[in-house]
Every structure is written in C-alpha cells, then in structure tokens.
Amino acid sequence: MEIKETNEPKESLNFIEEIIEEDIRNGKHGGRVHTRFPPEPNGYLHVGHTKAIYINFELAKKYGGLTNLRFDDTNPVTEETEYVDAIKRDIRWLGYDWGDREYYASDYFGKLYEFAVELVKKGLAYVDDSTKEEIEQMKGSPTQPGELSPYASRSVEENLDLLERMRKGEFEEGVRVLRARVDMESPNMHMRDPILYRIKYAHHHRTGDAWCIYPMYDFAHGQSDSIEEITHSLCSLEFRHHRPLYDWFIEKLEIFPSRQIEFARMNVAYMITSKRRLLLLVREGLVSGWDDPRMPTLSGMRRRGYPPAALRTFIDKAGVAKRDNVIEYELLESCVRDELNRTASRVMAVLQPIKVLITNYPEGQVEMMEVENNPEDASKGMRKMPFSRELYIERDDFMENPQGKYFRLAPGQDVRLKAAYIIRCEEVIKDAAGEVSELRCTYYPNSRSGSDTSGLKVKGTIHWVSAPQALEVEVRLYDRLFTDPTPDAYEDRDFKEFVNPEALTVIPKAYVEPALIDVKPQDHFQFLRVGYFSVDDDSLPGKLVFNRTVTLKDAWAKEQQKGV
RNA sequence: AGACCCAUGGUGUAAUGGCAGCACUCCGGAUUUUGGUUCCGUCAGUCAAGGUUCGAGUCCUUGUGGGUCUACCA
C-alpha cells in the first residue's frame, strides 16, 4: 500500500506507526498489515482492553489491512464460552468487526503439537519428569543462573515416545512437561528452558476431551500469530521479556516471522483493571455485576451510557507510547461530554422537586411550549412540552436568602422558565419541619418565549416540568467507583477501602417531561442543566430508569466551593 | 541484587540534531433563554551532571527515579 503524500502539516505518528510505515517502505510482507486482538476468554473486557482493541483495529484500518479476533484459549481450567460471547458482544459494541476471521488458539492444537514434535526431533525440546518444585528450583533467579535438568539429555527417540504417551493420557497430571532446550543461564528467565506443554485432564470449551496436554502461552501465542500470518503482533509492555522466545520459535521452526511490538497499557485514574479485583467486587456484591455502571468494564461503561465513539476518541487522545501512564478521569469525561453534547437530545427533568404554583395562571389551562431538541444541531427539530399552573422546579434553583452571584429564583426575584414564561416568586410555603414545600409565584403573560414583549431582563433561566403531565421515573446518579486515583497502588492498604460509598445515589422518584414516554434502553439525553443520562436496561414500560452518565460542567458549584 | 524497558507543564502526548507544540485540567474574560456549548486569554515542562556538536529534549557516559521479569496463568 502506498502512503498518501499530502501537503498538510506532518501528521505525528506514534512509535508503532513509525515501525509499520518503515516496514511498508521496505516492502516487508509486500506492504501488508495484519493485526489481531487476542483476548483470553476468562473474564470481561475492561478499559485496558479497549486500548488494545482500538490500536489493533484502527492501525489495520489505517494501513488497509485486516484484524483477526483470536481467543487465546489454552487454559481449559479458567476459560468459558460465556466469556467468549460477552467479549464478542463488547467488541462489536465498541464499533469493530472482524468479519469471518474469528479464530481460537485451540483451532491450532494439532498444528502446535506438530511444532512440538519438530522441536523434539531437532533436539530442541525434551520431556522433563522433574516436579514443579524441582523445576522452579533449577530455574535459578535473575541473579543466579539456572541449572540444566537431568532429563535434558534424553534421546530424541525417548522424548518422542514420552511426548506421544503424554498426549495419549498415559501419565498423571503434573508428572511430566515438555520443555524447550534454550539457555538455562540466560539473564532472561523466560529463556531458561520454558515449559511448552503440561498435562491437564480438563474439559476444554471447544475441543472437549480431545486433548489432555495443553500448550503454554509462549508456545501458543506466537505460533498462532505466525499461522495467521499476523504481520504486527501488538501487546503490552510486560511481554517484552517474552519476545526473544517468540523470535526463537520463529527461527527454529522456520515459520512466518510475525513481529511483536510492545506498548504501555493504559491506566485510568479512579479505575482498576485487575481481573482478579474486578471479580472480587462482583463476588462480594460491592457492585451489582460485571455490567454495573460503576464498573470499568466495557459492558459497565455501555450501561453507564458512555457512547462507543467517545471511548474511541478517549483512547485516541490518550495516545500510544512506552512509558507508564495514568490517564486523568477528566479526559474520559471530556470525551463523553463532547460526544453527547453533539448527539444527545435535550429534555427537562427535575430530580429534587419543589412545587411551584403560578397563582395568576388560569386553572385547568395547558399551553404547549416549543423547545429545541438540540441547540447544537438544528436538524434535530423542536418538540412541544406542556405548561400549566402547577410545576416542579429543582430545589437547588431556589434560595430563600440568596447571596453572592446567585441568579436563580428567590423571594421577590424574577427568573425565566426555559422556553416558557418569566415568573416571580411571591411567597414561600414551608412545612411543619420548616422545609420549603411550595412556592407561590406569578407569571408575566407577555414574557412567553419567542414572543416576549415584556422588556424584562432576567439573570437566570431554569428548567421545569408541568406537574400534572410529568412522568415519574427512577434516576440513578453514578460517580467514580473509587475515592483514590490509584486504589490498587498501595502495598499496605486494600483497594476495597477506597470504594466510593457515593458512587451510586438512587432517586426513586424524579419527574421528567411527558415526551420521554417512549424511550428505549441505551437512549441518551441531556437533562437540561443537570447532566447526561441514558435509559437503563432495567427500565420497564411505565417504570423508566435513567442512569447519570456524566454531569454537566458546573461553574456555579465551583464558584460556591470557593466561598466555603 | 542482575537483565531489560522508560523519563518533556498538574495529566497525557508531539517535536526523528535546528523556534519545545497539541489536548485535558486549572485560572481569567466574552457570548449565552442550559452557571452547558462556543470563543479568547493566562499560568506551567525537557530528571541530574558531564561529554560530542556551530547547535542537544533528541546522540554518548555516569548517576537518579520509575516500571517489568524469577506461574505446569495469559
């Protein structure tokens, strides 16, 4: 593929793109680019995986290549079909398609076994009868060279025979392994005669009981890349030390030379990506499940209401490099807001209601007010919302003793009801507990939005809903799951100590305008002046549930904090 | 401890020996029938010390700091 030359300012490339473009210039693999996303089906996909998915699919797309989906399913003990399905669903939701190229490392078990036989024949692999402890012992340490196994000198014939019998199930689990003969003195621990096959009498989610020996990661991953003729095998930094071995197999087996390139995983502040810890949160009921909107899983973020396009932008802006990083939560929120600002319809919803009675508005009268659906996008058109004598406004939008730059409703003050009239607060009604229970207001009949001849100038505009027509809904306010940006970074403290008790606040009864009657799960809205919300999967007809995806930026809250 | 990797504003990422830029955050201002959006502006950075060079964020050396590796997990 030709790289397009343009006169535009030079696009800056990340280090992986540099390598790819260099390869293309050199005509490597005929300029072909083929990547893969290789999840292990033993857990749900999370933010961290999002980066790997994005990089693999986007890079291939950029250079006219393809991306395979390959499940690295070489450990039947931990892997399940349930995860395979969830992973596929999540990748599709993110916006990527692998066509018919859905592969499994287990598809290659036969081929991998042949590779193993070939290594044995070349004198490059042997069956080791040592115990797990002995192998560990002989492996040495980073500063101590390892020592050669007494079984390393077995003849090719004996090794062939033993390997065959391992495969046939003649030995008990754990008594023998197949090892590559590499270098027990290498400073790289992975080169010290790594284990290739182990015996496991476990049922595999795809191959059933056809095998009782299973290849290790190092003997399956690279060769799978090679079998699929993957040109650029992208993985995270911790696999750096595996690369010499990856290359060793390619050289000894004389197979397709895929190239492994490592990049730094993405960490996001206030999130964790340890599968084990995520599982703990689910098991211990700290969240409602893998798709709890507080979870950093793809399914959780979907349910939270993050648009896939926002996630892609987020990954893109976070960038790709090799240094450790913690991406600020604010960048994620910024990307989500940016996307939703352009796409989400505006509606009015009152979360903490306070009743307003317009005393000079005719009883029983209902006017339909025109409101734009999205001021950022005129093509979204207008809708009508009912206005009547009895309304709800947000409790925060009234202050009995306003101070500072508060310009919402207050006794004797005017405020604009968005898309409707200007009203004045005449009287404050309180209940027995002294809480404000109702506001008596008057409206200016000639101040109607669009035909305002009142000449009045107000400082504030607030949202509202008409009480008789309002829909009662449940609203779930979500916030970050942890109170610390790196909850799992402390050696002396358990990450669960940092679970944010305010990450979920349920409002059982909030009011929304009647236009929302027909919404469906995953629909996104901006509750005017409040935040972005999406319809939760738990919603039923007549019992809608909205999840707060992200708040709107709130300059007023910031202002108030300064005063404290 | 050894090997390997990494080091640029608060955060993330560019600059490929030649003017240290962009985004997010923060702060200030303009606009606004969303205290949203948009627009403008401010603050703020090359880990340290040597060396090579006309010229170093970039190359070399040493140091410092951080990360990774010592599973019959991936």
Side-chain angles (χ1 to χ4, degrees), chain A residues 20-78:
Chain A
I20 290 177
E21 294 198 2
E22 173 75 19
D23 286 344
I24 291 172
R25 275 195 295 277
N26 295 334
K28 195 172 176 184
H29 307 309
R32 190 172 60 86
V33 174
H34 202 136
T35 59
R36 101 272 91 117
F37 174 62
E40 184 191 10
N42 72 343
Y44 283 74
L45 261 20
H46 54 62
V47 251
H49 294 111
T50 310
K51 180 174 183 178
I53 296 169
Y54 180 85
I55 290 176
N56 278 296
F57 279 92
E58 291 294 336
L59 244 25
K61 190 193 295 175
K62 176 172 182 178
Y63 295 106
L66 296 170
T67 304
N68 296 352
L69 170 61
R70 182 178 67 239
F71 289 96
D72 243 336
D73 55 351
T74 57
N75 185 358
V77 178
T78 55

Side-chain angles (χ1 to χ4, degrees), chain A residues 374-389:
Chain A
N374 188 336
E376 304 295 314
D377 184 357
S379 74
K380 290 287 169 61
M382 311 284 283
R383 71 177 185 289
K384 289 190 160 62
M385 63 184 287
F387 181 89
S388 71
R389 191 167 194 260

Side-chain angles (χ1 to χ4, degrees), chain A residues 129-330:
Chain A
D129 299 357
S130 308
T131 64
K132 185 175 176 165
E133 292 69 31
E134 286 166 338
I135 289 177
E136 190 184 318
Q137 190 65 32
M138 287 186 288
K139 200 146 198 179
S141 74
T143 44
Q144 290 285 222
E147 67 187 83
L148 198 54
S149 167
Y151 300 96
S153 51
R154 286 221 252 236
S155 71
V156 168
E157 293 68 31
E158 189 183 2
N159 280 322
L160 244 21
D161 175 60
L162 254 16
L163 175 59
E164 174 66 14
R165 289 164 61 193
M166 275 171 66
R167 188 181 68 81
K168 283 182 178 164
E170 291 187 21
F171 310 121
E172 277 174 44
E173 209 166 293
V175 302
R176 283 183 230 268
V177 291
L178 181 73
R179 291 229 260 171
R181 181 70 196 93
V182 189
D183 179 6
M184 287 308 291
E185 296 185 10
S186 171
N188 181 342
M189 301 297 288
H190 297 280
M191 298 298 271
R192 322 246 264 223
D193 290 14
I195 292 171
L196 270 29
Y197 271 98
R198 76 285 212 189
I199 300 171
K200 265 186 201 292
Y201 293 96
H203 187 83
H204 187 278
H205 76 117
R206 283 181 64 90
T207 61
D209 300 311
W211 295 85
C212 64
I213 58 172
Y214 291 95
M216 297 289 290
Y217 167 84
D218 282 311
F219 197 60
H221 191 96
Q223 284 82 317
S224 298
D225 284 342
S226 190
I227 290 167
E228 293 175 17
E229 302 201 336
I230 298 303
T231 56
H232 302 268
S233 178
L234 313 175
C235 61
S236 50
L237 246 31
E238 63 264 37
F239 292 99
R240 171 65 185 86
H241 301 291
H242 295 251
R243 196 167 78 209
L245 187 56
Y246 185 102
D247 292 337
W248 189 87
F249 287 128
I250 286 170
E251 183 198 329
K252 302 302 179 189
L253 260 9
E254 298 173 85
I255 53 179
F256 182 87
S258 301
R259 175 174 178 182
Q260 174 177 306
I261 301 165
E262 311 87 13
F263 60 86
R265 308 194 300 258
M266 179 179 66
N267 301 295
V268 183
Y270 302 98
M271 289 185 172
I272 60 170
T273 52
S274 151
K275 280 184 190 173
R276 190 180 62 78
R277 289 180 171 137
L278 255 16
L279 184 63
L280 273 176
L281 292 173
V282 174
R283 288 251 170 93
E284 299 188 12
L286 266 6
V287 294
S288 64
W290 287 100
D291 68 343
D292 185 298
R294 288 166 288 184
M295 288 286 271
T297 52
L298 278 188
S299 48
M301 294 190 289
R302 177 194 66 84
R303 196 163 169 192
R304 173 79 168 255
Y306 292 166
L311 251 20
R312 283 185 251 120
T313 306
F314 171 60
I315 302 295
D316 189 63
K317 289 193 173 184
V320 180
K322 294 179 78 166
R323 69 185 97 138
D324 294 329
N325 60 83
V326 180
I327 312 295
E328 287 178 331
Y329 198 83
E330 287 79 359

Side-chain angles (χ1 to χ4, degrees), chain A residues 11 147 215 292 425 502 523:
Chain A
E11 170 206 20
E147 67 187 83
D292 185 298
C425 177
E502 292 171 14
D523 284 350

Side-chain angles (χ1 to χ4, degrees), chain A residues 369-537:
Chain A
M369 300 299 186
E370 282 233 299
V371 205
E372 72 270 13
N373 286 319
N374 188 336
E376 304 295 314
D377 184 357
S379 74
K380 290 287 169 61
M382 311 284 283
R383 71 177 185 289
K384 289 190 160 62
M385 63 184 287
F387 181 89
S388 71
R389 191 167 194 260
E390 213 175 297
L391 313 169
Y392 291 117
I393 65 165
E394 210 73 62
R395 197 158 278 272
D396 276 356
D397 288 337
F398 172 77
M399 194 177 254
E400 195 170 8
N401 301 299
Q403 45 211 343
K405 291 177 238 167
Y406 188 86
F407 41 81
R408 278 115 90 151
L409 197 61
Q413 293 286 318
D414 292 349
V415 78
R416 158 78 65 186
L417 294 175
K418 169 73 180 177
Y421 297 98
I422 294 172
I423 59 170
R424 167 182 292 259
C425 177
E426 309 285 3
E427 189 184 351
V428 180
I429 313 286
K430 295 183 181 176
D431 61 18
E435 284 288 308
V436 176
S437 59
E438 184 180 323
L439 301 173
R440 298 274 163 90
C441 301
T442 52
Y443 83 117
Y444 299 87
N446 59 352
S447 68
R448 181 170 167 156
S449 237
S451 54
D452 184 353
T453 55
S454 69
L456 291 169
K457 282 209 162 46
V458 291
K459 280 185 291 183
T461 299
I462 65 174
H463 61 278
W464 52 277
V465 294
S466 172
Q469 295 86 0
L471 262 31
E472 286 185 15
V473 300
E474 176 176 326
V475 173
R476 298 175 184 167
L477 268 19
Y478 289 101
D479 199 351
R480 46 194 76 172
L481 219 203
F482 295 99
T483 55
D484 186 279
T486 54
D488 54 1
Y490 302 91
E491 286 173 13
D492 54 335
R493 298 186 66 177
D494 183 19
F495 78 103
K496 282 180 285 181
E497 291 177 36
F498 301 103
V499 169
N500 179 7
E502 292 171 14
L504 170 59
T505 306
V506 178
I507 298 177
K509 198 165 91 172
Y511 297 101
V512 302
E513 59 173 285
L516 287 171
I517 188 82
D518 287 327
V519 300
K520 293 176 187 58
Q522 282 298 295
D523 284 350
H524 301 281
F525 296 96
Q526 182 193 115
F527 286 180
L528 211 70
R529 302 205 310 128
V530 177
Y532 293 100
F533 291 75
S534 71
V535 181
D536 190 76
D537 300 343

